Each structure stands twice: as C-alpha cells, then as structure tokens.
C-alpha cells in the first residue's frame, strides 16, 4: 500500500506540474494578443526562454535556498519514493517560473532581451525563494512568531502572495524603471492608444490560464490524500466572480472581460482551501473590480505603462487575496477557520516589501550596468525584427 500511495502522489503532483506548465502557453498568448504585431514573436520567445533560465536557476540555487533540498546526489538516491522529491521540484518550479512570465507582460514592447534573461536568473534564483521559503518552509522564524502572537501563521495555500503578488510588485519596479513605450504619452498630457493586436489570441491565452489554474490550485495539496473538492469549487466561483465584475465595470470590453477570471483566480489562491464558495465568489468579484479600476487609473492618470496590467492583476489581486483569506476564511463567514487577519496582513505586507525591494534593486542595477531598454530605432521597428530578425507575418515583408 505504501508503494501504491507513493506512486499515486507522484502521478498526482506530476499532473499538476504539467497543468501549470501549460499555463505558460497561456501567459504567452495573452501577451501575444495584447502587444502590437511587431512584438508578437518576442512575446513567444521571452516566455519559453524565461522558463528555461528559471529551471536552471531554481534547480541550482532557488529550490535549495527555499527548502534546503539539493539534487547533486546519485540518481539512485533521487528516485526514492518513486522520485516524489523530483516531481515536487518540477511542480514548484512551474510556480517560480510564473514570476518572470508575469513580469514579461508588464515590460513588453521595449525591454532588451538578454538583460531580461539575467533578471530572470537573479529573481528566480535569489529573490523569489527568499519569500517562498519564509511562507512555505517557515524559514527565518516569521511563521512561528505569527503563530505565537496571533494564534495562526500566514496562510497562502496556492500562492496569491507568494507567486502573484510577488510577481506583480516586482513587475511594477521594472515597469517604472523602463518608462512608458515611446509615443504612448504626450507632453501635452494626451496619450496614444495601443489596442490589442489580436483579441482571439488574448482570449486563447486567458482560457489556457483559466483551465490550468485548477491544477495550480487543486494540486497545491501536493498529495492525493490531501486533495479537496472545496478548492476546485472555490476556484470556479472566484473565476466567475471576477468575470462578472470585469464584464460589468469594464462595459463589455473584451480585454477587461478576459482578464476578469484571471483576477478572481489570483485572489482566491491563498484561501481556496478555507473559504465558503460564496466567500470565494465575493473575493473574485472584488479582485475583478480592482483590476478594472486600477488598470484604468495606472494607464490613464498615473501614466504607468504596464502593458498587460500585471500590477493591478497580479500585484493588487494577489495582495487582496492574501488579506481575503483572513476575512472569508473565518468561521463566522462560513470558512473553516484557523486563520488570523493580522497574520495575513503582516505576511502579505512582508511579501510586498521583499518584491518591491527586489524588483527595484535587480532592474535598477541592470539599468545602470547593461541597460534594460531597446534603443529608439529598435523599439520603432519592433522587437521581432530588431531582436529575432523575423516577424509574426513574414509573408508581408516578402511581398507574398
């Protein structure tokens, strides 16, 4: 029976890793559909290249810093328990690699390629594991202190804060240091619109992410015996809440609509194992509303050119999700309890601080050493031709 249990757990978490790996195709097509045509190839190349660099950084450095586990022993040792430790690494790697995929959407259309790969290595190897280990492995004693003082530690079941808020707040620093795309904002206060190049690709990316998210959340149980249907239904309800809020507040705009379910799913990750489904619905709806409001505010009033809106979607949505777990996880609101609103706020703010400091430090150092932005001619021509020497529609250039 032990052999069967081990095999089942390996298959369970492996399927989760594959589902979250598929989400990276969603990140790619969401960006492809949002950027202008001259930058579509670059979007596809970035997501795959960032994943490859993330794998090396997390395997060699990040996973050890977060969990104290390394893989330099013999293959015989690594295959104990049917290789469960290896597939657990694979699963958590797909979470870690989501950080540069999130950042990619914010800095699209004007970031240099090689410096971004360097940033990916440092972030996944050093910055992300710092908070991951603190939250999920109880490193540095913060979780123990929160349990002692408030009766419960910081709870983030599937990464509202650990993954999404951290990715979104790092991205904000990168976006601010890069500055807006050329021609986006005018000196007289006006601005030029850069509408999505392909709503079908944008929608495809959103759908791939939405489906994969059920592996992201449900398989965060990490063993078959711990799986919970409550997580699945709460994810569903939050997705629906985010969709409806974005539909109504976004006035039927397809860009807002297809980001609505993603906002809801970002927010429910932390408390998806605790909330009542109605609480999850409310959590998702508030996240969808936050995305629409702050995307409009950052783009139109604050003049922060966050191309895919990754800060309001992941940064603010994940921050809200960490706090929402402490609200709707309470037994008084139908939740399972065992969570403290004070621990949730403090844990969430710690993640935000580490992410902001890490984002500005990493991209600030790269800006003043290698440079992080395409030159004006490259940006005007587009990253596809400037960096990859081919466009998404090469037949047009060839006159076919």
């Amino acid at each position: 029976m032990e052999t069967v249990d081990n095999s089942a757990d390996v298959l369970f978490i492996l399927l989760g890793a594959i589902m979250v790996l598929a989400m990276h195709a969603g990140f790619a097509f969401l960006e492809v559909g949002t950027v202008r045509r001259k930058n579509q190839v670059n979007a596809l190349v970035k997501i795959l290249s960032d994943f490859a660099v993330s794998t090396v950084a997390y395997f060699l450095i990040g996973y050890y810093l977060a969990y104290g586990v390394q893989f330099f022993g013999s293959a015989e040792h690594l295959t104990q328990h049917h290789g469960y430790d290896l597939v657990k690494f694979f699963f958590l790697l797909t979470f870690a690699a989501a950080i540069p995929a999130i950042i990619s959407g914010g800095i699209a259309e004007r970031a240099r390629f090689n410096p971004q790969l360097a940033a990916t290595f440092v972030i996944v190897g050093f910055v992300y594991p710092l908070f991951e280990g603190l939250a999920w492995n109880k490193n540095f004693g913060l979780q123990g202190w929160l349990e002692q003082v408030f009766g419960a530690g910081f709870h983030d079941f599937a990464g509202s804060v650990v993954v999404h808020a951290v990715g979104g707040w790092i991205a904000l620093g990168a976006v601010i240091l890069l500055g807006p795309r050329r021609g986006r904002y005018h000196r007289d206060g006006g601005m030029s619109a850069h509408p999505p190049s392909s709503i079908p690709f944008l929608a495809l990316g959103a759908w791939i992410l939405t489906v994969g998210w059920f592996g992201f959340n449900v398989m965060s149980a990490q063993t078959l015996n711990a799986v919970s249907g409550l997580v699945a239904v709460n994810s569903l309800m939050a997705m629906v809440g985010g969709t409806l809020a974005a539909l109504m507040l976004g006035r039927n705009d397809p860009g807002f609509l297809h980001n609505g379910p993603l906002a809801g799913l970002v927010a429910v990750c932390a408390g998806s194992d605790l909330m009542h489904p109605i609480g999850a619905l409310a959590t998702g709806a508030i996240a969808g509303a936050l995305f629409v409001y702050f995307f409009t505010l950052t783009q139109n009033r604050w003049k922060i050119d966050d191309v895919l809106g990754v800060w309001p979607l992941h940064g603010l949505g994940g921050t809200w999700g960490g706090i929402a777990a402490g609200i709707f996880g309470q037994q008084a609101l139908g939740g399972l309890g065992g969570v403290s609103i004070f621990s949730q706020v403090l844990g969430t703010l710690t993640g935000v601080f580490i992410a902001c400091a890490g984002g500005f430090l990493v991209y600030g150092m790269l800006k003043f050493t290698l440079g992080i932005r395409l030159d004006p001619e490259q940006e005007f021509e587009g990253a596809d031709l400037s960096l990859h020497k081919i466009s998404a529609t090469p037949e047009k250039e060839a006159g076919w």
Side-chain angles (χ1 to χ4, degrees):
M1 290 301 298
E2 182 180 354
T3 299
V4 173
D5 286 345
N6 288 336
S7 300
D9 288 342
V10 167
L11 180 59
F12 176 73
I13 199 169
L14 176 61
L15 291 174
I18 293 169
M19 290 182 71
V20 185
L21 175 62
M23 290 176 69
H24 288 263
F27 283 120
F29 279 100
L30 188 70
E31 185 172 336
V32 167
T34 305
V35 299
R36 289 168 290 179
R37 292 185 187 277
K38 62 183 180 179
N39 296 297
Q40 289 181 326
V41 172
N42 181 245
L44 294 170
V45 171
K46 280 192 301 177
I47 297 300
L48 182 56
S49 300
D50 278 336
F51 187 89
V53 171
S54 296
T55 301
V56 175
Y58 200 61
F59 185 86
L60 296 177
I61 303 169
Y63 196 70
Y64 177 77
L65 291 180
Y67 300 103
V69 176
Q70 52 84 19
F71 299 107
F72 296 105
S74 68
E76 181 180 2
H77 175 74
L78 297 177
T79 54
Q80 290 181 352
H81 307 296
H82 297 270
Y84 178 80
D85 290 339
L86 290 173
V87 291
K88 181 179 178 181
F89 157 77
F90 182 13
F91 181 67
L92 292 174
L93 161 68
T94 59
F95 282 51
I99 301 294
I102 290 167
I103 297 168
S104 176
I107 64 176
E109 301 203 283
R110 75 272 202 204
R112 293 181 62 198
F113 184 63
N114 289 332
Q116 172 55 23
L117 293 182
T120 292
F121 189 91
V122 175
I123 289 167
V124 176
F126 297 96
V127 179
Y128 169 73
L130 180 65
F131 186 66
E132 179 190 20
L134 184 153
W136 285 345
N137 200 44
K138 298 186 177 182
N139 296 349
F140 309 112
L142 177 63
Q143 289 283 35
W145 181 79
L146 292 174
E147 290 174 9
Q148 182 179 4
V149 175
F150 301 111
F154 171 64
H155 184 87
D156 190 359
F157 178 71
S160 284
V161 181
V162 174
V163 178
H164 298 286
V166 167
W169 284 93
I170 291 176
L172 179 64
V175 168
I176 290 174
L177 288 170
L178 266 174
R181 289 166 288 179
R182 298 184 190 279
R184 180 74 173 93
Y185 302 114
H186 306 155
R187 293 182 178 179
D188 61 3
M191 59 184 180
S192 298
H194 293 327
S197 60
S198 174
I199 294 298
F201 275 153
L202 188 158
L204 175 64
W207 270 110
I208 294 172
L209 284 165
T210 298
V211 173
W213 224 296
F214 287 86
F216 195 99
N217 285 1
V218 174
M219 270 74 166
S220 286
Q222 298 189 18
T223 62
L224 193 58
N225 288 334
V227 69
S228 172
L230 180 65
V231 177
V233 173
N234 280 344
S235 300
L236 174 69
M237 297 301 285
M239 180 201 89
V240 169
T243 302
L244 293 176
L247 175 66
M248 290 184 288
L249 296 178
R251 301 179 181 178
N252 302 331
D253 182 281
F256 285 135
L257 170 65
H258 287 96
N259 278 282
L262 309 183
L265 286 162
V266 164
V268 81
C269 288
S272 56
D273 62 328
L274 298 176
M275 298 177 181
H276 187 278
I278 296 177
L281 180 69
T283 297
I286 293 171
L290 285 172
F291 172 72
V292 173
Y293 177 77
F294 279 97
F295 181 88
T296 305
L297 189 65
T298 54
Q299 294 284 339
N300 297 345
R301 183 169 298 179
W302 294 347
K303 303 293 192 293
I304 297 175
D305 192 15
D306 179 356
V307 180
L308 268 67
V310 298
W311 177 69
L313 181 68
H314 297 275
L316 292 183
T319 301
W320 158 240
I323 297 170
I327 299 172
F328 294 107
Q330 301 289 340
Q331 289 182 329
L333 293 176
L336 297 181
V339 66
S340 164
I341 183 62
F342 299 105
S343 294
Q344 292 306 113
V345 170
L346 288 175
T348 299
L349 291 178
T350 301
V352 170
F353 173 78
I354 291 173
C356 284
F360 278 102
L361 178 63
V362 171
Y363 283 96
M365 290 180 64
L366 286 171
K367 180 176 181 178
F368 291 107
T369 54
L370 300 178
I372 57 177
R373 181 158 185 154
L374 296 175
D375 62 44
E377 292 79 12
Q378 289 176 317
E379 188 176 339
F380 177 79
E381 187 177 33
D384 294 357
L385 292 176
S386 298
L387 300 179
H388 311 293
K389 311 307 178 186
I390 192 170
S391 74
T393 54
E395 66 277 6
K396 292 184 178 180
E397 281 73 30
W400 295 351

